[in-house]
Amino acid sequence: MALRCKRPPHLPSLSFRIARVFTKHSAFTSSSVATFYTGIVGEEPILVRDFIHSALYDPNHGYFAKRSGSVGVLDKSIKFSSFEGRTDYVKYLDNLYKVHDISWFTPVELFKPWYAHGIAEAIMRSADLSIPLKIYEIGGGSGTCAKCIMDYLMLNAPAKVYRNMSYISVEISPSLAEKQLETVGEVRSHATKFKVECRDAADRTGWGNVESQPCWVIMLEVLDNLPHDLIFSENQTSPWKEVWLEKQQGSVSELYKPLSDSLITSCVEIIDHTTSGSTKGSIAKSIWAKVIPKPRKAWLPTGCLQLLDALHWALPKMSLIASDFSYLPDVKVPGERAPLVSTKKEGISTDYDSYLDAKGDADIFFPTDFLLLEQIDHYCSGWRNQPVDDNKAKPVKKRRSIILNTSSFMEEFGLPSKTRTKDGYNPLLHDFNNTKFYLSVPTHNK
């Protein structure tokens, strides 16, 4: 699964614009219809998550199958101290995109090795170094993160930690898997500690036996491309319905069914629990719904739920570091937590009004609701929020978690001085206001 900085800052940047509040949209009708590559939807209706998975990952027409070679790799690290300030940096970045003629550079690539070094330092400060260090990376991209983390551990960790460590990349793209082996293999001693498993991390069967030892899992800009489901309601008080897609006379339309899918119902349950605490808000919402009833849609991170469920099952003692977009500005697709559907041709980005416009040449990526991510993490760890009797102790969570802005994470664990220009401008700290880190570790409570 490719990692990427969705747009360079000068295009303009996702980070420099404030997300617009969604208003009433014409797509909020009983059925949205769009003409596109209809081979994704066959004779039987499919869930929206299956459509998104096919549009992104199908080996024949999926976006990543066509664009796997467009993830940028820099020949050398950027020397930020050579720039006078932001103007010089943006000009340099603009030239990079023209020279390489690619769709994106990942943050870990733009700021190598410092971005990955910050992650490595966070692991070193928290890991039990008395046992062999084991790291899994989901969607390792070009392998830059893995190589830079192993470089850092080789130079800064006790010798036995590096000597006994193992690093496993779980990568769904065969071409990226090969690239990772090539990148990490540039350092001979890394190669014996690194391997790639080319498979879907969300599929439990690929994990084999349960890993009983503590380990670390890294996911950088993975959550945004995981399949999501869509639910629909006729108004603010009507029950939610699942959105399915069916083919009708060469087009595809939305079909609404009562909730029955287990992933969707679990997501709705988690969301309902996180929002049930506000009694005043619920009353106000109910009154407003009667005054101005309107249809609504919401996107559910069912792919995230499925992935975390598989990870917690296979790696019950894992510690997790995830980074992703916390919001996306100028989203045209309707609904809560809606994705940005965008394509880039001849250096020009185009955003679409509907997710159904994705024809294998468009990226579909979602903002991450980090508070919801935290609840899903706790849910999948085996802890459930349930009413507690007065005579019983409150259930103890199995995870300790924290959400940090990217700038806060890098100031705590990284070396921000290495990405600062002459006038003090720092793209690592200043250009990623719409990204966050999520850190989660198991507790020792029984």
Side-chain angles (χ1 to χ4, degrees):
M1 195 175 296
L3 308 179
R4 63 209 165 285
C5 187
K6 304 295 180 180
R7 254 181 217 160
H10 56 289
L11 286 183
S13 167
L14 296 176
S15 308
F16 296 148
R17 293 184 289 174
I18 299 176
R20 290 202 281 249
V21 178
F22 296 139
T23 56
K24 187 173 182 180
H25 197 285
S26 59
F28 278 133
T29 59
S30 60
S31 179
S32 296
V33 181
T35 302
F36 70 113
Y37 175 76
T38 55
I40 297 178
V41 182
E43 297 303 318
E44 297 295 326
I46 63 172
L47 283 165
V48 172
R49 69 168 178 261
D50 296 321
F51 167 82
I52 292 175
H53 187 277
S54 184
L56 292 177
Y57 302 112
D58 185 275
N60 296 317
H61 61 255
Y63 177 75
F64 291 119
K66 297 180 178 181
R67 299 295 187 93
S68 61
S70 61
V71 180
V73 179
L74 297 178
D75 298 329
K76 59 182 180 180
S77 299
I78 298 174
K79 191 175 181 180
F80 295 90
S81 61
S82 66
F83 303 125
E84 288 294 332
R86 182 178 181 275
T87 300
D88 283 353
Y89 169 70
V90 168
K91 188 180 300 183
Y92 176 83
L93 197 60
D94 181 59
N95 186 62
L96 272 182
Y97 275 89
K98 290 178 180 177
V99 170
H100 288 265
D101 191 27
I102 50 87
S103 297
W104 57 75
F105 285 106
T106 70
V108 79
E109 192 71 38
L110 288 175
F111 302 107
K112 70 177 179 185
W114 316 116
Y115 193 92
H117 283 187
I119 296 171
E121 176 63 20
I123 291 174
M124 278 188 59
R125 289 193 203 176
S126 306
D128 181 358
L129 299 182
S130 66
I131 61 176
L133 178 62
K134 193 169 196 176
I135 300 174
Y136 290 90
E137 184 178 359
I138 311 301
S142 63
T144 295
C145 182
K147 179 182 180 298
C148 291
I149 286 178
M150 297 181 79
D151 287 346
Y152 188 86
L153 295 173
M154 180 175 64
L155 296 173
N156 296 282
K160 69 173 184 178
V161 172
Y162 174 73
R163 184 171 61 249
N164 297 325
M165 75 168 293
S166 58
Y167 198 115
I168 302 98
S169 172
V170 182
E171 175 58 59
I172 199 169
S173 166
S175 60
L176 288 175
E178 291 181 10
K179 180 60 180 176
Q180 291 167 27
L181 290 170
E182 178 185 332
T183 300
V184 177
E186 293 173 4
V187 179
R188 182 176 299 178
S189 59
H190 291 354
T192 59
K193 304 166 177 44
F194 179 79
K195 70 173 181 177
V196 181
E197 298 178 0
C198 195
R199 58 184 175 85
D200 184 354
D203 183 357
R204 276 195 183 192
T205 60
W207 287 97
N209 297 326
V210 172
E211 173 63 69
S212 59
Q213 292 299 313
C215 63
W216 285 81
V217 174
I218 300 171
M219 297 191 298
L220 306 181
E221 294 182 38
V222 168
L223 300 173
D224 60 3
N225 274 131
L226 292 180
H228 282 55
D229 271 293
L230 183 60
I231 53 178
F232 170 82
S233 174
E234 293 179 357
N235 55 57
Q236 299 94 314
T237 57
S238 297
W240 288 110
K241 294 183 178 181
E242 301 172 353
V243 178
W244 290 67
L245 298 177
E246 63 177 352
K247 188 186 296 184
Q248 288 187 343
Q249 298 178 346
S251 297
V252 168
S253 63
E254 291 180 346
L255 175 68
Y256 308 125
K257 300 182 180 182
L259 298 185
S260 62
D261 178 78
S262 59
L263 281 174
I264 293 177
T265 53
S266 293
C267 255
V268 171
E269 174 189 336
I270 296 169
I271 293 172
D272 285 347
H273 178 81
T274 58
T275 58
S276 62
S278 176
T279 304
K280 292 182 179 179
S282 298
I283 294 174
K285 184 177 180 180
S286 177
I287 295 173
W288 188 252
K290 293 178 180 178
V291 176
I292 309 179
K294 63 178 181 179
R296 57 181 180 148
K297 289 184 175 181
W299 292 85
L300 305 178
T302 46
C304 172
L305 175 60
Q306 187 176 25
L307 175 59
L308 285 180
D309 183 65
L311 291 174
H312 278 293
W313 173 83
L315 311 170
K317 295 183 179 180
M318 73 166 179
S319 295
L320 173 66
I321 297 181
S323 176
D324 228 302
F325 297 94
S326 55
Y327 71 85
L328 297 171
D330 300 332
V331 171
K332 297 181 178 180
V333 178
E336 299 173 34
R337 297 177 294 274
L340 187 60
V341 181
S342 180
T343 189
K344 185 178 179 182
K345 295 180 180 179
E346 298 179 355
I348 300 175
S349 294
T350 302
D351 298 338
Y352 292 112
D353 294 333
S354 170
Y355 66 97
L356 293 177
D357 288 327
K359 303 178 179 68
D361 61 346
D363 197 357
I364 309 171
F365 53 102
F366 294 81
T368 295
D369 182 336
F370 277 81
L371 292 176
L372 178 56
L373 170 63
E374 186 175 41
Q375 292 301 314
I376 292 174
D377 181 36
H378 289 304
Y379 180 91
C380 292
S381 70
W383 182 81
R384 300 291 188 268
N385 283 315
Q386 296 178 347
V388 180
D389 295 337
D390 294 336
N391 298 328
K392 294 182 180 179
K394 187 176 181 179
V396 178
K397 289 185 178 181
K398 296 183 177 182
R399 310 286 294 176
R400 288 186 295 117
S401 52
I402 187 172
I403 299 168
L404 295 172
N405 293 328
T406 294
S407 58
S408 299
F409 179 90
M410 289 301 169
E411 285 175 335
E412 176 67 28
F413 300 110
L415 287 172
S417 60
K418 298 294 186 180
T419 55
R420 187 181 300 137
T421 62
K422 292 178 182 179
D423 67 358
Y425 161 71
N426 194 325
L428 178 59
L429 302 183
H430 301 153
D431 285 1
F432 290 84
N433 298 325
N434 64 333
T435 63
K436 292 182 179 179
F437 273 84
Y438 176 71
L439 288 75
S440 172
V441 299
T443 68
H444 300 289
N445 300 308
K446 300 297 182 183

